[in-house]
Amino acid sequence: MRPTGTVRTMRPSFCGPTTGRRSHRGWCNVIWSARTAAPTTRQRTSGRKWMDRSVLQNVSYLNSCLSFFLRQAEGFKEQGNAFYSNKDYSEAFNFYTKAIDACPKNASYYGNRAATLMMLFRFREALEDSQQAVRLDDCFMKGHLREGKCHLSLGNAMAASRSFQKVLELEPNNRDAQHEHKNASTLTDLERMAELSFEKRDFRKVVYCMDRALALASACHRFKILKAECLALLGRYPEAQSVASDILRMDATNADALYVRGLCLYYEDCIDKAVQFFIQALRMAPDHEKARLACRNAKALKAKKEEGNQAFKSYNYDAAYQLYTEALAIDPNNIKTNAKLYCNRATAGAKLKKLNQAIEDCTSAIKLDDTYIKAYLRRAQCYMDTEQYEEAVRDYEKVYQTEKTSEHKHLLKSAQLELKKSKRKDYYKVLGVGKNATDDEIKKAYRKRALMHHPDRHSSATAEIQKEEEKKFKEVGEAFTVLSDPKKKTRYDNGHDLDNDGGFDGRDFDANNIFRAFFGGQGGGFTFDSSPGTFYF
């Protein structure tokens, strides 16, 4: 018997763009499934075979609906092509999506949408569409080519090579695939070179490699992060921050970008803010080893520096010096913080009278940061204390050129005055007294030195020794003449020229007259015996 019952036929209203309870893609899937599942349905009753006419009616109806969807999908595709040709990629994307919804089993629609997504720089989505296209049609050459280009843009050189190789199997003379295959090999070489350079700490070479790699793989976040990290290690913080910030705008949870952002702040001596970024990176990726190490170093460096500062404020300069030394060993890459630590240790060293070591520390600080004014000032003061006036003037000039303040001008003039004074005879040194010596101390010093170098005392010495002692005797008399006269001493101390003073002329100076006046004024004389170095009052 023929089965009884009514046949439920679908109304044409389903076939509109979004009418009915199902989307285009949903109805299209129903049609494909029904068409596949309804070939020749036969029922065997009492040995007789017959075809169910109701099923044939359904199949016919499904075929007509499928044709409708196919025509509609082709229309959407043509519209998408038109927008693509006019470089309106957003609209092209919308129409290719409608084509896919109408006919989800067509590989070329996914391929077209992938091409559009590539033009919109949405390479990850484009990769998904390309992969779907080749799943539907493994011989779809353009699908494999676009998949390879997406892999390449995202920095996956090995996957890109496999895709291009598949294209060359399908079409051995495809020039585009040949060219892109070479690019994938070049990218592999650049990755390897960058890895080796990073291990050698040749960060400039890594940046160079990543710049070339990004020209081939513009959407690779991994390459951008590596470049940004090396820029930070080179002290090029604004560039590194810019790269990291661009990535974070696209993906706020990117742990690598958060790490690099924190690294820049850490190297700019903003340690508290840096720690916050490191902690945030570890929340996103608990196994991020670089972020964990940087966070630990940042905390240790801050703690050790603060300990050193506290010891210095407590006048415990030895402890401060040691703590600053320990802090410097924590992270050699932290340029700005280490520059400050060197300068701090120099200050502690100066307090401990380790002036030469302090000068070396200031020089190390300046090598790390040649704009560090405090280091120049500290070194200049150490130069002044060690009477290296030319070096002091040079440092103060550098400071004054950078910051033209009245204080810096005064320091420069003081150093220039000391330099000028240092090029004259040092009368204090001739007499062997300090610059704050009293009149009595100056007289006592003259008495001692004059008797020591008097020519009569060396009458039996060689002509060479006599000449040298006579020179020293004259210098002692000259020094006493200036330092025993209040006006001349004041002018001398202020760095003025005494030759043009009208009160002292070295050409008319007679050391013997000074000697006789000094000793004659004491009510007695003295005589030297024939033995050199012996005299009697």
Side-chain angles (χ1 to χ4, degrees), residues 199-232:
E199 290 176 1
K200 296 176 182 177
R201 303 185 66 78
D202 187 355
F203 302 125
R204 284 186 174 81
K205 185 69 171 290
V206 178
V207 171
Y208 168 77
C209 291
M210 288 301 97
D211 280 336
R212 290 188 62 193
L214 285 166
L216 301 172
S218 59
C220 181
H221 286 180
R222 183 164 49 89
F223 294 164
K224 292 178 181 179
I225 289 294
L226 180 56
K227 175 184 175 180
E229 182 179 1
C230 290
L231 287 170

Side-chain angles (χ1 to χ4, degrees), residues 350 353 355 378 380-389:
K353 304 302 179 185
L355 295 175
R378 171 59 53 194
Q381 184 57 55
C382 290
Y383 280 140
M384 293 290 287
D385 293 340
T386 54
E387 298 184 357
Q388 300 180 62
Y389 300 118

